[in-house]
């Protein structure tokens, strides 16, 4: 029985480099037919819904290979700063939230951007102006830093004598007093005091995150952080509940968090969580290892030191969160146990350490189908480009970041130096060297809109405002390559390529209707494309 037919536009099947003139019939949760308009119309019955694409494009649902929906949805339900991009806007949102929630003992949320503040470091005094009466802690957009007011710092016992943790840094005033910005592991000194969200709040956050991703055409993903964190309950439990109650409609692979405070003794716990973490459309079959931080706060692990404001080398080359020897042994054991490993590897040293560990695992364990991948890849040394294909590691791209904007131009390039800055986000080189490309957003770090990501991958300019100079345009992808990374590529990384990722007869009808055909217009308009409808297994889950 044909439930729905899609006519009146073109179809990007994902099996060719360009859309085809075709129509699609769907029934029984799957694609039944991809053919000419006349044949597909003839397959319709009296109860078949006819969807007119009106010149738009039908394609496979996007799949986000690195995203945090439970946290993103939870942030949407708390003090969410992500819609603003100015000091005044942030303070107005915080003040309004505090006034609307007088019963909350903490003002907690996030979404601020580093480039809004001088040096990327907002002060406690600025936050004190709008929240003077209770502690406040707001994580930044990338999750690698937090902004605390004076009461929060005082409650946590932080003062000029508090040492920096080994995996983080406290920004300080001239006399050593904590300034209000906390980087990486220093966040936990305060966030450990924040009341943990309830299980109901975590569940609501996950469903809110799912709805938001559906609105962007995302029908499946890999959650890159499954675990409990200060102020947040274990999202593992929220996923199990949603999967068990069939409210999780997307197909999700969960990346179990590698606790860098522990060692190899945690592996049996991960094995047990994998065993109990495969319910319905949720499969916790991956381990996430965060190997370094981010370049903007100088915690991304680099082969050479960062520069200072004068262009001179400093003593700091970032942080390897997992000691390389331990990393190699952990990867060896996890690979032998059949886990997929999902690395956060942003700096060139972190990338090399991850590739070295994978090379060692391949030598010890042989070739397998675990499909390991490295995410972010901001700086990759040219000698390591070819190693992705050699060790069978996929390149997990967050394309939206590969553009000139204030965070790049003011907080990154000056401290990397011209030569190293030219090695950033080498999408084209990775593809030409045979690496398999998959794509994600890292939402709520940045927008989850795959069409914005595809816009930047193709144009290497921001999708909104004045485009400006393209950022290393020799690393651009074609539109087909970018969309394939977001669909068939990410389906492959999640071991779902047999049932999703392309529009072919027999595959699940995870489909997206776009308001236009981005292949037909100029590349600089790709980011203006919008999602009209999103389907999961033929079920309409979003309509604009």
């Amino acid at each position: 029985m044909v439930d729905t037919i899609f006519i009146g536009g073109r179809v990007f099947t994902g099996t060719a480099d360009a859309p085809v003139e075709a129509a699609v019939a769907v029934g029984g949760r799957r694609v039944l037919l991809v053919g000419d308009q006349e044949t597909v119309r003839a397959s319709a019955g009296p109860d078949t819904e006819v969807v007119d694409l009106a010149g738009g494009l039908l394609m496979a649902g996007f799949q986000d290979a690195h995203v945090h929906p439970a946290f993103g949805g939870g942030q949407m339900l708390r003090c969410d700063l992500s819609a603003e991009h100015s000091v005044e806007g942030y303070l107005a949102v915080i003040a309004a939230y505090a006034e609307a929630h007088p019963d909350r003992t903490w003002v907690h949320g996030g979404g601020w951007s580093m480039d809004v503040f001088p040096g990327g470091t907002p002060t406690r005094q600025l936050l004190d102006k709008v929240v003077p009466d209770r502690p406040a802690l707001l994580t930044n957009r990338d999750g690698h830093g937090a902004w605390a007011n004076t009461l929060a710092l005082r409650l946590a016992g932080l003062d000029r004598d508090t040492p920096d943790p080994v995996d983080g840094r406290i920004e300080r005033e001239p006399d050593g007093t904590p300034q209000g910005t906390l980087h990486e592991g220093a966040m936990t000194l305060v966030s450990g005091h924040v009341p943990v969200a309830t299980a109901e709040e975590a569940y609501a956050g996950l469903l809110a995150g799912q709805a938001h991703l559906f609105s962007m055409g995302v029908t499946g993903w890999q959650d890159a952080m499954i675990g409990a964190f200060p102020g947040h309950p274990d999202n593992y439990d929220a996923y199990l509940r949603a999967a068990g109650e069939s409210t999780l409609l997307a197909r999700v692979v969960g990346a179990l968090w590698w606790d860098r405070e522990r060692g190899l003794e945690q592996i049996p716990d991960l094995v047990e969580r994998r065993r109990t973490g495969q319910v319905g459309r949720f499969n916790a079959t991956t381990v996430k290892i965060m190997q370094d931080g981010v370049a903007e706060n100088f915690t991304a692990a680099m082969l050479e030191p960062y520069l200072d404001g004068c262009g001179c080398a400093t003593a700091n080359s970032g942080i390897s969160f997992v000691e390389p020897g331990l990393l190699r042994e952990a990867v060896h054991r996890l690979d032998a146990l059949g886990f997929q490993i999902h690395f956060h590897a942003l700096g060139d040293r972190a990338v090399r350490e991850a590739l070295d560990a994978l090379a060692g695992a391949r030598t010890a364990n042989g070739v397998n189908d675990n499909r390991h991948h490295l995410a972010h890849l901001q700086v990759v040394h040219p000698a390591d480009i070819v190693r992705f294909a050699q060790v069978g590691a996929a390149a997990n791209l967050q394309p939206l970041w590969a553009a000139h904007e204030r965070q790049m131009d003011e907080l990154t390039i000056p401290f990397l130096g011209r030569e190293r800055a030219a090695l950033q986000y080498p999408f084209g080189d990775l593809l030409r060297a045979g690496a398999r490309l998959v794509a994600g957003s890292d939402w709520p770090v940045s927008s989850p809109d795959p069409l914005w990501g595809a816009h930047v991958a193709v144009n290497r300019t921001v999708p909104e405002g004045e485009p400006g100079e393209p950022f290393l345009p020799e690393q651009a992808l074609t539109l087909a390559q970018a969309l394939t990374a977001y669909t068939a590529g990410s389906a492959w990384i999640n071991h779902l390529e047999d049932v999703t990722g392309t529009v072919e007869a027999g595959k699940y009808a995870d489909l997206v209707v776009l308001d236009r055909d981005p292949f037909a217009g100029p590349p600089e308009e790709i980011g203006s494309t919008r999602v009209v409808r999103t389907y999961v297994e033929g079920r309409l889950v979003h309509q604009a």
Side-chain angles (χ1 to χ4, degrees), residues 105-108 135-139 146-148 151-153 155-158 182 184-197 228-233:
T105 57
W106 281 70
V107 171
H108 183 42
L137 184 71
L138 300 146
T139 54
W147 178 17
L151 281 177
L153 296 167
L155 179 68
L158 272 64
L182 307 167
E184 300 295 348
M187 293 187 291
T188 63
L189 301 176
V190 175
S191 61
H193 298 269
V194 178
V196 176
F229 301 88
H232 302 279

Side-chain angles (χ1 to χ4, degrees), residues 16-53:
D17 291 337
V20 294
E21 301 289 343
V24 172
V26 169
R29 304 188 299 154
R30 296 181 184 263
V31 175
L32 299 177
L33 174 65
V34 180
D36 62 80
Q37 304 272 344
E38 201 171 298
T39 302
V40 170
R41 281 182 181 274
S43 71
D47 297 323
T48 299
E49 180 186 11
V50 178
V51 176
D52 185 355
L53 301 177

